[in-house]
Amino acid sequence: MSTFSDFEPPVFNNLTSAIRALAMDAVEKAKSGHPGAPLGMAEIAEVLWNHHLHHNPGNPAWPNRDRFVLSNGHGSMLIYALLHLTGYDLSIEDLKQFRQLHSRTPGHPEHGYTPGVETTTGPLGQGITNAVGMALAEKLLANEFNRPNHEIVDHHTYAFLGDGCLMEGVSHEACSLAGTWGLGKLIAFWDDNGISIDGHVEGWFTDDTPGRFEAYGWQVIRNINGHDPEAIHKALDMAKADKNRPSLLCCRTRIGMGSPNKAGTHDVHGAPLGDAEIAAARPHIGWNFPPFEIPREVYEVWDAKTKGAQWESEWQRKFDHYAAAHPALAAEFKRRMAGDLPADWAAQVQEVLTKTNDKAETVATRKASQIAIEAYAPRLPEMLGGSADLTGSNLTNWSGSKSVSREGKGNYIHYGVREFGMAAIMNGIALHGGFIPYGGTFLVFSDYLRNGLRMSALMKQRVIYVLTHDSIGLGEDGPTHQPVEHVASMRLIPNLDVWRPCDSFETAAAWGAALTRQGDNSGPAVLALSRQNLPFVKRDAAVQANVARGGYVLSDAANPRAVIIATGSEVDLALKAQAQLAEAGVAVRVVSMPCVDVFERQDQAWRDSVLPRGVVRVAVEAGVTTGWYKYVGLEGAVVGLDRFGESAPAGQLFKEFGFTVDNVVKTVQSVL
């Protein structure tokens, strides 16, 4: 484990001292924050941002900009200081509002809050994993769109990360893949300061990190003095020269450098320095200005607006020549980077739905999903699929799938057994632009990727999760593999659409809805799909159109005395129970609710028309019952499963746990 004692202290200058002062002052004003990383990484940041990073503060969405990810996101004042100093639309008043309500400078970098912040990096490890996804997107797009003498996709992805990111297992999952894929334009800076919140890390982090990354296939540049600009420059030049391997720059730093009494200790990691220490730090770093005051001459050196505008202008000239030579490719590139769908997309979705309805196939919804992918993917070349080592079970591939290779070719990613890495890489791909990523695993293994899924929702990214084997219908693999609480728990995540379709038509509609989410409604979707075959349900045209509303009347009756609400494989039970009750003279309406989240976004009139007030309700779903009481109330009932499953054939399990027509009928009768 490194210490800083091997190195001479830095020669402080106004460029790096401006970062340190802003970080100290903002954290102190907020009485909250993490000053250690901004102070310790100031030289690394200055070298990268002033001498290597290609970006345009006047247009943070320039497609060919270098991407920068602060994976150690607790050091957020570092990126806020950099954005402010280089000329982004982030004022000194914004910095003064650090960590305050509705500010543009929240406690951790949040995508969509602050111009220039590429991704949300609160949970450690996910930032570097997002960066892997961004670098992969760049490589795939370059292979797809670049032509001889027309390189319109050509940029780097840079990431800062700390010991915490490296301790999190997701960094292993992603960085292993980055080496396999040969992501030569991915450059990561390890802030090797030997400190985490609990103190010196020798007691809990003694990994051979450089050796680990060399084993992944990275170029590793060791023992860089993170406070020596020339050493950092040299290392960056070496990193950029290697086109075939991602690079890890191991930068030895002293956390809180510039704080005369707290540098090198965990005291500076996650707490304000205090007025007395800041007063002592100012002359120590040669900074003699009041809080939040930056001299004009410092701004002039940092300002990147002129350079950025020139870089973008040069790229635009290249793109104009490209468009003249390859007009169709240029138009497609612009559409995809804007996140737009084809102009006739609604008609294309309807065409897929019509064909699905005409075929009326009785298949497992995981197979129906594959059929839907086969229909949509040729129409949307931006669909970038994959699976966490379960392709043959998730059925996420299609006839046009080609495995992503080290050469940057392909449209299907074999993630290996890396569910969390898959989720966070997909977020990075989506954030980069140009692709709609989707990835598969078993629904029960969503536990492994849960936080990445949450980040998809928080950042409103169009990422599609194909989660198969959705219930005790999995059968013989037993309770370890049978999800009972997963669908209900994912419905609690804001902005996540959870679809559990009952047949091939609802599955195709769910795919259409997930692909269509964009703009203000943008966000991820989960498709919870069955292992077992589910019967096709006939619908007239009016009913077909209602599937997109998330919940609709699938089969009605005159003057119904009860409503049965069902999802997925249990819709067939509801329909059969309806028929049996009708024979007994009891009229019942059946409502299919493939997506509770979408149903909740409908207006009150629609919801009341589907679930009329005053009519008793019974919900049926092979999972925990808790969430359904919102719809059935105290007077209704839920046929569900509030325990773990068992190992047995699926048919036996459904019977064992009461998912039978007779039990649904009995339950309806009990509440009438």
Side-chain angles (χ1 to χ4, degrees):
M1 183 55 58
S2 68
T3 66
F4 188 72
S5 59
D6 305 321
F7 300 112
E8 294 295 325
V11 176
F12 297 111
N13 61 63
N14 276 352
L15 296 183
T16 55
S17 294
I19 297 173
R20 291 185 164 102
L22 288 173
M24 291 189 300
D25 292 340
V27 171
E28 187 63 33
K29 185 175 187 298
K31 302 300 181 186
S32 174
H34 298 74
L39 272 63
M41 298 192 77
E43 283 78 22
I44 301 169
E46 191 277 326
V47 170
L48 175 63
W49 279 66
N50 266 336
H51 305 284
H52 293 268
L53 189 73
H54 282 204
H55 61 121
N56 183 7
N59 181 16
W62 171 36
N64 202 47
R65 68 192 181 279
D66 289 339
R67 270 60 170 181
F68 173 77
V69 175
L70 184 72
S71 190
N72 45 345
H74 51 272
S76 57
M77 266 311 302
L78 177 58
I79 192 170
Y80 298 149
L82 292 166
L83 293 170
H84 170 73
L85 290 168
T86 55
Y88 284 80
D89 181 21
L90 195 68
S91 70
I92 203 72
E93 292 303 316
D94 289 321
L95 301 192
K96 291 179 180 179
Q97 293 302 307
F98 178 57
R99 287 186 165 230
Q100 304 308 301
L101 183 64
H102 302 313
S103 79
R104 304 172 80 201
T105 49
H108 290 78
E110 300 283 354
H111 176 71
Y113 284 61
T114 315
V117 169
E118 301 281 3
T119 181
T120 297
T121 53
L124 292 177
Q126 289 196 60
I128 180 61
T129 308
N130 295 162
V132 170
M134 293 174 186
L136 177 62
E138 191 274 345
K139 188 168 187 173
L140 294 175
L141 284 170
N143 183 273
E144 183 177 355
F145 285 98
N146 287 354
R147 293 295 182 270
N149 302 316
H150 294 289
E151 294 188 352
I152 61 164
V153 181
D154 182 16
H155 54 265
H156 286 82
T157 300
Y158 298 99
F160 286 0
L161 67 156
D163 292 333
C165 295
L166 293 168
M167 283 187 262
E168 290 286 0
V170 70
S171 69
H172 159 70
E173 296 183 25
C175 293
S176 171
L177 282 170
T180 298
W181 292 330
L183 300 180
K185 291 182 180 175
L186 172 62
I187 299 174
F189 298 78
W190 172 26
D191 180 25
D192 180 14
N193 59 44
I195 296 290
S196 65
I197 290 177
D198 280 357
H200 293 270
V201 300
E202 290 93 339
W204 50 87
F205 185 50
T206 58
D207 302 9
D208 177 7
T209 296
R212 166 186 161 189
F213 276 75
E214 286 169 344
Y216 293 153
W218 287 52
Q219 174 186 211
V220 176
I221 305 173
R222 299 173 180 244
N223 299 323
I224 303 165
N225 182 343
H227 301 296
D228 179 351
E230 288 303 316
I232 300 164
H233 272 297
K234 182 179 178 180
L236 259 170
D237 287 339
M238 288 176 62
K240 291 195 291 187
D242 193 326
K243 307 298 184 183
N244 299 313
R245 295 180 297 172
S247 295
L248 179 69
L249 279 58
C250 303
C251 300
R252 293 188 179 184
T253 65
R254 175 170 286 177
I255 191 171
M257 177 58 78
S259 171
N261 300 304
K262 296 184 177 182
T265 74
H266 74 279
D267 294 335
V268 75
H269 182 283
L273 297 182
D275 290 334
E277 184 68 7
I278 291 176
R282 275 185 147 74
H284 184 65
I285 64 174
W287 190 258
N288 301 308
F289 306 100
F292 297 105
E293 182 176 313
I294 306 294
R296 178 178 54 81
E297 57 270 22
V298 173
Y299 277 126
E300 288 174 351
V301 177
W302 268 107
D303 188 11
K305 286 183 288 188
T306 300
K307 288 189 298 184
Q310 181 178 347
W311 285 326
E312 183 173 356
S313 178
E314 291 171 357
W315 177 84
Q316 188 61 52
R317 283 195 295 272
K318 290 181 180 180
F319 188 82
D320 291 342
H321 291 143
Y322 174 81
H326 306 284
L329 280 174
E332 180 70 358
F333 178 80
K334 289 176 68 176
R335 178 188 72 79
R336 284 173 53 174
M337 290 305 293
D340 294 335
L341 294 164
D344 61 343
W345 178 244
Q348 293 199 49
V349 172
Q350 187 55 53
E351 182 182 341
V352 171
L353 295 179
T354 299
K355 289 182 178 179
T356 303
N357 187 66
D358 291 345
K359 288 184 177 180
E361 293 178 284
T362 290
V363 293
T365 51
R366 62 173 174 152
K367 180 61 178 178
S369 171
Q370 186 179 47
I371 293 168
I373 295 170
E374 186 76 41
Y376 287 120
R379 305 162 188 263
L380 282 182
E382 58 262 48
M383 288 177 64
L384 180 60
S387 172
D389 205 49
L390 288 169
T391 295
S393 296
N394 301 145
L395 304 182
T396 37
N397 59 342
W398 61 290
S399 63
S401 291
K402 297 178 182 178
S403 298
V404 165
S405 68
R406 188 178 180 89
E407 291 71 36
K409 300 178 181 179
N411 62 358
Y412 190 84
I413 303 172
H414 295 279
Y415 288 98
V417 188
R418 300 181 179 94
E419 295 89 355
F420 193 3
M422 176 178 70
I425 287 171
M426 289 197 296
N427 285 338
I429 291 168
L431 287 159
H432 179 279
F435 293 104
I436 302 175
Y438 69 90
T441 186
F442 288 170
L443 176 58
V444 76
F445 298 150
S446 64
D447 288 334
Y448 286 117
L449 58 77
R450 175 76 174 222
N451 202 262
L453 172 63
R454 180 177 184 269
M455 299 306 291
S456 301
L458 191 148
M459 294 189 287
K460 300 181 179 179
Q461 293 305 296
R462 186 165 39 175
V463 177
I464 301 172
Y465 294 84
V466 182
L467 305 180
T468 68
H469 298 59
D470 70 336
S471 72
I472 55 172
L474 171 64
E476 294 85 346
D477 275 346
T480 60
H481 281 51
Q482 293 167 5
V484 294
E485 77 277 24
H486 297 73
V487 168
S489 66
M490 286 189 293
R491 286 179 181 140
L492 299 175
I493 300 176
N495 199 44
L496 173 65
D497 285 354
V498 181
W499 291 87
R500 188 167 183 252
C502 75
D503 67 356
S504 59
F505 186 87
E506 284 191 356
T507 305
W511 262 106
L515 291 166
T516 302
R517 288 194 78 182
Q518 59 181 356
D520 293 339
N521 184 42
S522 187
V526 161
L527 308 184
L529 306 170
S530 73
R531 178 195 188 193
Q532 71 276 26
N533 287 351
L534 302 183
F536 182 82
V537 181
K538 293 182 179 180
R539 304 168 179 81
D540 61 28
V543 174
Q544 291 172 35
N546 291 334
V547 174
R549 290 179 174 264
Y552 64 101
V553 179
L554 178 60
S555 179
D556 211 354
N559 301 313
R561 295 179 58 196
V563 176
I564 304 177
I565 311 167
T567 77
S569 50
E570 289 68 70
V571 169
D572 183 54
L573 285 180
L575 292 170
K576 289 175 178 175
Q578 179 193 43
Q580 189 167 314
L581 285 162
E583 292 176 0
V586 179
V588 171
R589 167 183 288 185
V590 172
V591 167
S592 177
M593 197 174 290
C595 188
V596 171
D597 312 275
V598 172
F599 180 72
E600 286 294 321
R601 291 202 294 270
Q602 306 305 306
D603 58 39
Q604 189 65 50
W606 175 260
R607 286 179 282 158
D608 287 344
S609 73
V610 173
L611 301 175
R613 303 187 184 197
V615 181
V616 71
R617 306 164 188 171
V618 171
V620 188
E621 186 172 64
V624 294
T625 62
T626 307
W628 288 110
Y629 286 100
K630 174 179 181 178
Y631 296 102
V632 303
L634 296 176
E635 64 280 0
V638 183
V639 178
L641 183 65
D642 289 316
R643 53 152 292 179
F644 295 113
E646 295 286 349
S647 180
Q652 293 181 22
L653 292 174
F654 279 115
K655 184 176 181 180
E656 171 72 15
F657 293 118
F659 294 99
T660 64
V661 175
D662 287 345
N663 190 44
V664 175
V665 168
K666 179 181 177 182
T667 303
V668 172
Q669 291 172 332
S670 73
V671 299
L672 285 175

